[in-house]
Amino acid sequence: MSDGGDAMPELAELEARKKMSERELNEAMQMLQIVRDPSVDWNDKKKTVDTVIEKRAAAGRELERLEKQGQELAAAILAKQQTLVRIGREAMELSLCRGEIDEMIELTRKAIATNNNAMQQVHFGGSM
């Protein structure tokens, strides 16, 4: 979700999933009523129970798939976090190096200025 354009399709997808879940819930309630209804033939009840078992197995497989996907995402997030920590450390090291380099540049400038003053005194015999 880097910009607002990504949010709308994701919201639409979530709404579609919600409607599908509501539809499946209604179907499950109808199946439950078929199984509970004493006037429904045993073969119809058996078919309904078989359908419920198949749906439950499919839901179990989907849950396993989602759990695996969650583990993969968690591993990817951890890897990215470790990369960010490494980059942060490198940035700190570079910042420290920059500070040391700035200090060395300042000391070099002072040494050059001192050396130039000494050379001028030697060259002009201290008459400046």
Side-chain angles (χ1 to χ4, degrees), residues 100-116:
E100 291 173 357
I101 289 171
D102 288 346
E103 184 179 343
M104 292 176 77
I105 289 171
E106 187 60 33
L107 291 173
T108 303
R109 286 182 179 150
K110 286 180 182 176
I112 289 171
T114 303
N115 191 24
N116 283 344

Side-chain angles (χ1 to χ4, degrees), residues 6-70:
D6 291 341
M8 293 310 292
E10 187 174 305
L11 182 59
E13 182 181 337
L14 290 174
E15 286 293 328
R17 285 185 184 179
K18 179 182 174 189
K19 287 180 183 177
M20 187 176 186
S21 293
E22 288 172 352
R23 192 169 39 251
E24 289 174 354
L25 180 61
N26 287 333
E27 289 173 6
M29 291 301 293
Q30 290 171 353
M31 286 187 229
L32 179 63
Q33 288 184 354
I34 289 172
V35 172
R36 285 186 170 176
D37 189 352
S39 65
V40 176
D41 182 51
W42 170 248
N43 287 330
D44 290 338
K45 287 184 180 185
K46 185 177 180 314
K47 286 179 189 175
T48 303
V49 169
D50 289 344
T51 303
V52 169
I53 290 171
E54 288 172 13
K55 286 187 176 210
R56 191 164 176 174
R61 288 189 297 272
E62 179 68 9
L63 179 61
E64 287 175 358
R65 185 189 69 78
L66 290 172
E67 286 175 343
K68 183 178 178 185
Q69 183 182 20

Side-chain angles (χ1 to χ4, degrees), residues 77-99:
I77 289 170
L78 179 62
K80 291 198 181 290
Q81 287 175 334
Q82 290 171 339
T83 300
L84 286 173
V85 168
R86 181 184 53 79
I87 289 170
R89 284 186 188 140
E90 290 174 1
M92 266 201 310
E93 288 175 8
L94 289 173
S95 178
L96 290 173
C97 289
R98 174 63 194 241

